[in-house]
């Protein structure tokens, strides 16, 4: 089974910061990587798929990059509504999906 | 607008059973594969089960294989999860989730229903 890791597991940031979250797959997954945002008590929301394609309606301050085993999610200018937990998901082994453990972004 | 609404969660004793339902609307349900994903309290997301649009292909996570059964009724735009032999570690919010067309990630999620397994 493909295992996903994320770093850091959590960190504090300020509004306006540029933040980067890293996701790593235990084997190559090409670009079959998605990113989700989840706020407390809410369902996850798809932000990015195919490693770098922005889902419709997602602000352009979000971007993704990478292929193979190493991926990043970048928020160029953190807004108050972006404080949340972010998960990566591989779908290379579709439909046997696996998620990363999550990265919590909170207010400094 | 795509809507997925889960129901059927609740408190059940270890060893008991529960059936979750998911009502879909806002899209052609019969054209999409569906999943159940769960999240234990304070924990991350865990994929549970997948069913193709025609029910011809079904997969389960090892943690639920032999205990859970996924099914769907395309005439009723509904997805189901029959959960038997429930364990404490099955306690979680269960999400109904749609997969996009082709080999795609999950693109829409329901609001979730809480299942608590406790004596």
């Amino acid at each position: 089974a493909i295992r996903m890791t994320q770093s850091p597991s959590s960190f504090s940031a300020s509004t306006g910061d540029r933040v980067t979250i890293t996701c790593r797959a235990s084997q190559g997954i090409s670009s079959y990587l998605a990113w989700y945002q989840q706020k407390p008590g809410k369902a996850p929301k798809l932000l990015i798929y195919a490693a770098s394609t922005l889902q419709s309606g997602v602000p352009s301050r979000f971007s993704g990059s990478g292929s193979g085993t190493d991926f990043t999610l970048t928020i160029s200018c953190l807004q108050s509504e972006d404080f949340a937990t972010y998960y990566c998901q591989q779908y290379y082994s579709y439909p046997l999906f696996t998620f990363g453990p999550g990265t919590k972004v909170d207010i400094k | 607008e795509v809507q997925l609404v889960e129901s059927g969660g609740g408190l059940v004793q270890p060893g008991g059973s529960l059936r979750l339902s998911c009502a879909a609307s806002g899209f052609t349900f019969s054209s999409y594969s569906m999943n159940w994903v769960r999240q234990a309290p304070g924990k991350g997301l865990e994929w549970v089960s997948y069913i193709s649009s025609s029910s011809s292909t079904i997969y389960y996570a090892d943690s639920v294989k032999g205990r859970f059964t996924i099914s769907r009724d395309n005439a009723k735009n509904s997805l189901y999860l029959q959960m038997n032999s429930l364990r404490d570690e099955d306690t979680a919010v269960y999400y109904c989730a749609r997969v996009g067309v082709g080999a795609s990630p999950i693109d829409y999620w329901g609001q979730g229903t809480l299942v608590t397994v406790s004596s």
Side-chain angles (χ1 to χ4, degrees):
Chain A
I2 300 174
R3 297 178 304 279
M4 308 299 292
T5 58
Q6 289 181 235
S7 61
S9 57
S10 66
F11 67 95
S12 299
S14 301
T15 304
D17 285 352
R18 178 183 178 89
V19 303
T20 298
I21 298 169
T22 297
C23 175
R24 177 165 289 174
S26 61
Q27 65 183 73
I29 59 169
S30 185
S31 295
Y32 294 93
L33 192 283
W35 288 98
Y36 298 88
Q37 176 193 68
Q38 186 180 34
K39 297 181 180 180
K42 300 295 186 181
K45 172 188 172 183
L46 177 63
L47 297 176
I48 287 169
Y49 61 96
S52 61
T53 302
L54 212 60
Q55 174 74 341
S56 176
V58 174
S60 59
R61 63 180 178 273
F62 291 91
S63 63
S65 64
S67 67
T69 59
D70 296 315
F71 302 87
T72 59
L73 171 69
T74 299
I75 309 173
S76 61
C77 183
L78 199 65
Q79 301 298 300
S80 57
E81 60 266 33
D82 301 334
F83 292 99
T85 300
Y86 294 85
Y87 295 92
C88 60
Q89 177 210 25
Q90 68 81 19
Y91 53 104
Y92 178 83
S93 60
Y94 177 99
L96 306 181
F97 304 113
T98 49
F99 295 89
T103 295
K104 184 178 181 181
V105 181
D106 60 25
I107 301 173
K108 184 180 288 183
Chain B
E1 178 193 5
V2 172
Q3 287 202 324
L4 300 168
V5 180
E6 302 93 337
S7 60
L11 175 63
V12 61
Q13 293 187 337
S17 298
L18 211 55
R19 189 194 195 206
L20 306 183
S21 299
C22 171
S25 62
F27 65 103
T28 305
F29 181 72
S30 60
S31 296
Y32 288 84
S33 299
M34 299 294 296
N35 297 263
W36 289 98
V37 178
R38 69 184 180 183
Q39 186 170 36
K43 302 297 183 182
L45 300 166
E46 179 189 16
W47 170 77
V48 172
S49 185
Y50 162 96
I51 186 168
S52 63
S53 57
S54 64
S55 303
S56 60
T57 302
I58 286 174
Y59 290 99
Y60 298 98
D62 288 344
S63 57
V64 307
K65 201 172 295 183
R67 301 187 299 122
F68 289 12
T69 302
I70 191 171
S71 62
R72 65 190 294 161
D73 185 336
N74 287 343
K76 295 183 177 180
N77 291 339
S78 293
L79 176 72
Y80 307 100
L81 186 68
Q82 177 66 43
M83 304 186 295
N84 298 330
S85 304
L86 283 161
R87 306 167 178 167
D88 291 351
E89 57 264 34
D90 295 319
T91 294
V93 173
Y94 285 73
Y95 294 101
C96 167
R98 190 187 86 165
V99 178
V101 175
S104 301
I106 291 169
D107 60 357
Y108 285 96
W109 304 66
Q111 86 288 350
T113 187
L114 176 63
V115 172
T116 303
V117 184
S118 174
S119 53

